[in-house]
Every structure is written in structure tokens, then in C-alpha cells.
Amino acid sequence: MICGVFFAAAQADIVQPAPLVSVASQDAFFNQLKALCGKAFGGKVSVDTAKTDGFSGPLVMHVRRCSDTQLQIPFHVGDDHSRTWIISKTGSGLSLKHDHREEDGNYAASTMYGGHTQDAGWENVQSFPADPYSKALFVKSGIPQSNSNIWQMFIYPQQFSYRLVREGREFRVDFDLTNPVAAPPAPWGYAD
């Protein structure tokens, strides 16, 4: 009990919470995406070395919700509204998570996988190698080859790109930032 009393007393003396620190290149990248908040953009698959099924129909990214520490970007594939990219400032870099939902809003079996930056990256490019949670999920799901996944995001004045790369596999979708499109409905599991 003495430890609990000491901890409570120590918390009472804190005037400000610890700052969420980051590096300039990651802040610039995050802020460029945040500047698109509320806008949606059409895209197309530009590289797919495995010819993935399920990416036909209109592809739309929607920079939907933005705060100083998190961006929620649904990635709509036709009438499939199951995917949301979540980019978060962590104090030791940026995290990318893939929130996958079923049509009823429940979490898909494979959700919240992603990665964390391991270096400063650049103001236009950040890389997210698979994190430990994702690697364990991939092994459990029977796709251990995904343990070497690296997701990359590129943002330039005219184009945003989402890329997945690993040995023997590359997938990239490019979005035209010069031509906003109508915002799609809320992604599954989210409310407007």
C-alpha cells in the first residue's frame, strides 16, 4: 500500500504530461496527410506481382478523422468498406495499423496488423516494417511469409501511394491528389 500512496502523491505533483516527441521528417509526413483531412481520392493498383483478387472496383482513400496524434484513413474497394489505415504518433516514431472489420462492424480475424517506423524516414516517405504483434498474428494465420512485410506510404503534391513489399511480393496503389472525389460512406464498424 505504501507504493500506491507514493505513486498517487507523485502523480499529484505533475503539472504537465510528458510531451509526445517526434522528429521533423515524421512530423512533416504526418502533417502533409493531415492537411488532406476530410478529402477522398480515387486510386488504381499500379503494381501487383501476385495479381491479388479483391481489388477491383473503385479504389478510394478517405482521410476521414484527424487529430494531433492519429489519422484514420479508410481504404474503400468498391462496396467493401472493411479497411482503415490508422497512423499514430507514438513518441518513438509512427505506427501504421490496418483495422479490418466485417460488414456487421465486428473485427475481422486478421486485424490491427501493421508496423512501426525504425528510422526518421523522409517528409515524403515513411516505412513500417512488421511489428511483433503482426508477426505473431501472421504465424497464427498460416501466412508466416508476411513476417517480412514492409508497408510504405509516399505523399507528394500530386500523388499518395500505399505500398506493401516483401521478398517475392510487391503491391502498390496510387491515389490522384489533384482530383478529390465524393466521400464514401463510413467504413464498417465506424459511425459518422
Side-chain angles (χ1 to χ4, degrees):
M1 184 62 172
I2 293 173
C3 183
V5 171
F6 175 76
F7 182 71
Q11 281 189 324
D13 293 337
I14 295 175
V15 176
Q16 293 183 9
L20 187 62
V21 297
S22 56
V23 295
S25 56
Q26 291 171 344
D27 286 340
F29 175 85
F30 188 93
N31 290 335
Q32 286 185 81
L33 273 173
K34 186 178 177 186
L36 302 174
C37 204
K39 296 181 181 176
F41 305 94
K44 63 178 183 175
V45 174
S46 57
V47 178
D48 188 2
T49 58
K51 303 299 182 220
T52 308
D53 291 334
F55 284 94
S56 59
L59 305 179
V60 177
M61 68 173 274
H62 180 199
V63 186
R64 186 168 183 271
R65 289 197 177 149
C66 307
S67 74
D68 290 339
T69 59
Q70 188 178 88
L71 306 173
Q72 295 176 1
I73 307 172
F75 173 37
H76 302 268
V77 180
D79 292 328
D80 181 342
H81 309 291
S82 64
R83 301 168 178 88
T84 299
W85 301 320
I86 300 174
I87 301 168
S88 303
K89 290 186 174 186
T90 67
S92 60
L94 297 174
S95 167
L96 168 65
K97 289 293 184 174
H98 297 75
D99 182 355
H100 283 258
R101 305 288 182 106
E102 302 294 344
E103 195 166 358
D104 63 6
N106 287 315
Y107 290 106
S110 179
T111 190
M112 299 311 287
Y113 62 86
H116 197 282
T117 57
Q118 294 183 351
D119 56 36
W122 294 271
E123 65 183 40
N124 299 102
V125 183
Q126 291 292 322
S127 295
F128 306 89
D131 60 29
Y133 167 80
S134 303
K135 291 177 181 182
L137 178 65
F138 296 149
V139 169
K140 180 181 174 183
S141 301
I143 51 171
Q145 65 275 18
S146 295
N147 283 358
S148 61
N149 280 4
I150 299 173
W151 295 273
Q152 295 177 317
M153 291 184 163
F154 304 77
I155 185 164
Y156 292 97
Q158 297 183 359
Q159 181 173 295
F160 173 84
S161 298
Y162 167 90
R163 180 179 185 230
L164 163 68
V165 65
R166 68 172 178 257
E167 186 174 340
R169 175 83 172 107
E170 182 179 359
F171 175 79
R172 191 177 87 215
V173 182
D174 298 323
F175 297 89
D176 180 2
L177 299 182
T178 66
N179 188 23
V181 299
W188 297 339
Y190 288 76
D192 279 333

